[in-house]
Amino acid sequence: MSEQEPLRVLYLAAEAVPFAKTGGLADVAGSLPKALKALGVDIRLGLPRYACIDREQFGLTPLIESFPVPVDNRTIAADLYRTTIGKDVPVYLVENAHYYDREGIYMYPDDADRFIFFCRAILEALKRLDWRPDVIHCNDWHTAIVPNWLKTIYADDPFYRDTATLYTIHNLAYQGIFGHRVLEVAGIDEYGFIVHPDIPDLDNVVDMMGRGIYFADLISTVSETYAQEILTPEYGERLDPLLRDRRDRLFGLPNGIDTAVYDPATDPYIAAHYDLHDLSGKALCKEDLQAEAGLTRDPYAPLIGAISRLTDHKGFDLIAAVIEPLLRHSNLQFVFLGTGEQRYHDLFRSLQQRHPERLAIFFTFNAPLAQKIYAGSDIFLMPSRFEPCGLGQMIAMRYGSIPLVRLTGGLADTVTDFDPETGHGNGFAFKSYDPLALYGTIIRAVENYKYRDTWRRLMLQVMSEDHSWETSAHKYVDLYRRAIASRLPRPPREVYQIAEPI
Ligand code: ADP
């Protein structure tokens, strides 16, 4: 590849906006490629064609009909469709009725097979299209098999011999752990399990994320702080020894947000538009949200929004511990959006019944409603136990909702605690994972909210921050070039051996 030729990058993900979304990965996969394209990268996105991706709505055109994809020791046919996002970023979608003609995206017992098939189909399809990527950028466990293949079954393949891989960890907590059969499906059973002296159970499971980390030329994660945290046993989800071994190839690059999608000046889903020069629309958005949520229409009651999976990892155990006292001792209002653990469903349902004018919860996934909550809330709550990057706090800032966070991962990199004396800071933050710390921080935010001028300045401050992809996209280009330059022809066997299955 010469410096003149555009860098060719294949970006693989299990979800991407606007096609399919369950969380932050979809935001990233739908917006980073557009930013890279603007920098001149020939980037192309690969996705499964789930049933929810309507062919007509998304302008899918057939590209390759019924081509064979190796699975186990046979082949299964796939079809390839094409469409584009942004300014002509090609998107390749793999179709197979058996694997993808189902409701939703994940949570099927054969998810490993489904994503292995997707990855293999894309690799085979690119050969037919004769488009050879310089780098394949894989994301999370669903596409982690690709670096493994490029160092094994495709290592001597003339088409992929020089292709480098970057593996991005969006959340180390979801590793994709399966049994030996998956190696047969992927056609790599002859290589067996991975052995690591400090991860005892790695040699009798197929840990997809572990494989991505082990085999990729470079590894990245989505904030600088999280890149440091995952090297420790506290955050390393038992893969920290492997990550420490490869720390010279591990980078932390913060995510950005799609500032065209998340823009209170143009957002089609919110009640009124507003911007840095005229904030008046935000009050209307708050009134609209209070009406939709059935809360008292009180412009002076501070309104806290949270859009999140209802899990401990997102800090819901802390929220559960403080919410009743907060409802008793303040004039706060709450709007929650999300689904998750049953005990949180029960708790919030009961709170909503007892305080319908103060608290509302929507147990659903609904992007337009999410945007109404970003726009209509005064404070955005993310007290996460761990947070690789977190997009919610950045989207909230764009809408002038002040983030209230626990300082971990990307939250620590984007939010600094506000000091009313100096005017320094862009949110409210606490460090120790403790209900009292959360409680105190919320009370502090409520006290500051009473000072209208101070609060207004804080809103203008967060709305003027740049959380676009601009800076990080340049860093990804550097990382792609580095991946090519430091590509390893074989896996780092000097450290590991591949164990035979038991
Ligand atoms: P994670 O990827 O861990 O879920 P992030 O903060 O990185 O968390 O990204 C979450 C993304 O998903 C944000 O765009 C947020 O607005 C969106 N989101 C989360 N839950 C919902 C929901 N119930 N309805 C609509 N959007 C949601």
Side-chain angles (χ1 to χ4, degrees):
M1 190 203 60
S2 81
E3 283 292 319
Q4 273 70 43
E5 278 179 42
L7 202 54
R8 290 181 301 262
V9 179
L10 173 69
Y11 193 97
L12 293 181
E15 51 181 279
V17 167
F19 305 101
K21 168 168 172 175
T22 70
L25 172 61
D27 283 308
V28 174
S31 53
L32 172 58
K34 291 196 267 187
L36 288 164
K37 182 79 177 185
L39 298 182
V41 178
D42 180 2
I43 183 134
R44 306 188 185 192
L45 174 63
L47 277 180
R49 211 285 287 178
Y50 305 108
C52 63
I53 307 177
D54 185 78
R55 290 200 200 109
E56 278 192 10
Q57 184 192 344
F58 291 104
L60 270 49
T61 53
L63 204 56
I64 313 177
E65 222 173 285
S66 191
F67 63 100
V69 180
V71 176
D72 214 331
N73 47 14
R74 62 204 167 111
T75 65
I76 296 179
D79 296 300
L80 194 75
Y81 284 80
R82 182 187 190 279
T83 187
T84 57
I85 54 169
K87 291 204 173 75
D88 210 20
V89 177
V91 183
Y92 297 128
L93 297 111
V94 172
E95 184 171 281
N96 173 284
H98 169 67
Y99 287 127
Y100 311 122
D101 226 350
R102 308 179 189 183
E103 207 186 309
I105 304 182
Y106 314 114
M107 310 305 277
Y108 289 98
D110 60 346
D111 274 356
D113 306 46
R114 297 169 73 227
F115 290 106
I116 287 169
F117 182 82
F118 157 62
C119 293
R120 193 73 190 262
I122 285 274
L123 293 191
E124 291 299 312
L126 292 193
K127 286 185 177 187
R128 286 165 184 264
L129 298 175
D130 199 24
W131 185 77
R132 194 188 62 77
D134 301 306
V135 179
I136 303 183
H137 186 167
C138 304
N139 294 281
D140 275 352
W141 76 258
H142 323 93
T143 52
I145 194 70
V146 173
N148 193 165
W149 279 333
L150 292 204
K151 296 284 186 271
T152 52
I153 53 176
Y154 285 100
D156 299 317
D157 184 306
F159 195 79
Y160 285 115
R161 208 171 33 208
D162 299 322
T163 299
T165 51
L166 170 64
Y167 180 65
T168 298
I169 301 164
H170 294 260
N171 193 339
L172 197 59
Y174 302 97
Q175 295 179 6
I177 296 176
F178 303 98
H180 180 264
R181 188 192 60 82
V182 161
L183 296 181
E184 290 166 21
V185 174
I188 49 172
D189 49 316
E190 65 180 282
Y191 300 93
F193 294 116
I194 297 174
V195 173
H196 188 288
D198 300 325
I199 313 176
D201 56 340
L202 200 61
D203 61 3
N204 63 24
V205 291
V206 179
D207 184 321
M208 296 294 231
M209 183 158 281
R211 281 173 184 261
I213 295 166
Y214 175 74
F215 286 101
D217 293 308
L218 293 185
I219 306 140
S220 74
T221 187
V222 289
S223 68
E224 283 170 24
T225 295
Y226 194 61
Q228 294 301 317
E229 286 173 342
I230 57 177
L231 298 175
T232 66
E234 188 185 352
Y235 291 92
E237 302 283 345
R238 103 191 192 297
L239 293 183
D240 49 294
L242 178 57
L243 286 157
R244 284 197 295 277
D245 290 343
R246 304 213 75 204
R247 70 189 306 167
D248 58 327
R249 288 175 178 265
L250 172 67
F251 299 83
L253 267 60
N255 284 336
I257 57 168
D258 192 327
T259 48
V261 172
Y262 299 116
D263 184 354
T266 56
D267 189 328
Y269 300 121
I270 63 178
H273 291 147
Y274 56 98
D275 60 22
L276 278 171
H277 308 291
D278 180 3
L279 289 175
S280 54
K282 184 151 174 85
L284 297 175
C285 290
K286 178 169 174 177
E287 197 184 334
D288 177 60
L289 179 62
Q290 285 171 327
E292 178 148 356
L295 307 179
T296 310
R297 290 200 201 183
D298 177 356
Y300 300 107
L303 198 165
I304 294 190
I307 300 165
S308 174
R309 284 174 282 122
L310 309 178
T311 63
D312 287 351
H313 137 218
K314 293 290 189 182
F316 273 82
D317 48 347
L318 295 189
I319 296 174
V322 303
I323 193 136
E324 301 236 31
L326 283 171
L327 286 166
R328 267 200 304 277
H329 300 301
S330 73
N331 64 337
L332 272 165
Q333 297 185 340
F334 292 90
V335 178
F336 293 92
L337 170 62
T339 57
E341 292 169 25
Q342 189 58 46
R343 60 199 165 115
Y344 296 130
H345 283 235
D346 297 342
L347 171 70
F348 285 104
R349 192 171 285 119
S350 132
L351 286 168
Q352 183 167 25
Q353 276 160 4
R354 283 180 285 136
H355 307 275
E357 72 298 344
R358 305 274 306 279
L359 182 146
I361 181 151
F362 298 90
F363 298 110
T364 172
F365 194 95
N366 182 330
L369 179 56
Q371 282 161 239
K372 279 178 184 243
I373 295 173
Y374 287 121
S377 58
D378 299 301
I379 298 165
F380 192 78
L381 189 58
M382 280 180 87
S384 307
R385 184 183 287 274
F386 62 91
E387 194 61 71
C389 177
L391 299 175
Q393 82 281 16
M394 293 191 275
I395 303 171
M397 286 194 249
R398 182 102 172 116
Y399 286 84
S401 181
I402 311 303
L404 193 158
V405 307
R406 175 170 175 257
L407 293 170
T408 182
L411 297 173
D413 294 354
T414 49
V415 180
T416 43
D417 197 34
F418 179 67
D419 178 349
E421 300 262 309
T422 62
H424 180 75
N426 62 355
F428 297 93
F430 62 100
K431 203 157 177 67
S432 79
Y433 194 79
D434 175 278
L436 267 183
L438 171 61
Y439 187 85
T441 308
I442 292 178
I443 294 300
R444 213 151 44 76
V446 171
E447 286 305 310
N448 277 282
Y449 180 78
K450 291 177 185 161
Y451 295 87
R452 306 306 300 162
D453 287 346
T454 306
W455 197 264
R456 194 184 148 79
R457 273 200 302 278
L458 200 49
M459 280 167 64
L460 294 175
Q461 153 75 22
V462 298
M463 286 175 71
S464 60
E465 287 186 16
D466 179 7
H467 293 288
S468 71
W469 274 105
E470 179 73 21
T471 311
S472 285
H474 278 104
K475 290 185 184 165
Y476 271 108
V477 174
D478 291 345
L479 218 50
Y480 294 147
R481 295 201 186 283
R482 199 169 178 148
I484 295 164
S486 61
R487 195 180 156 275
L488 296 161
R490 298 278 166 209
R493 278 186 203 218
E494 63 279 13
V495 185
Y496 311 99
Q497 301 149 26
I498 307 272
E500 293 301 320
I502 301 161

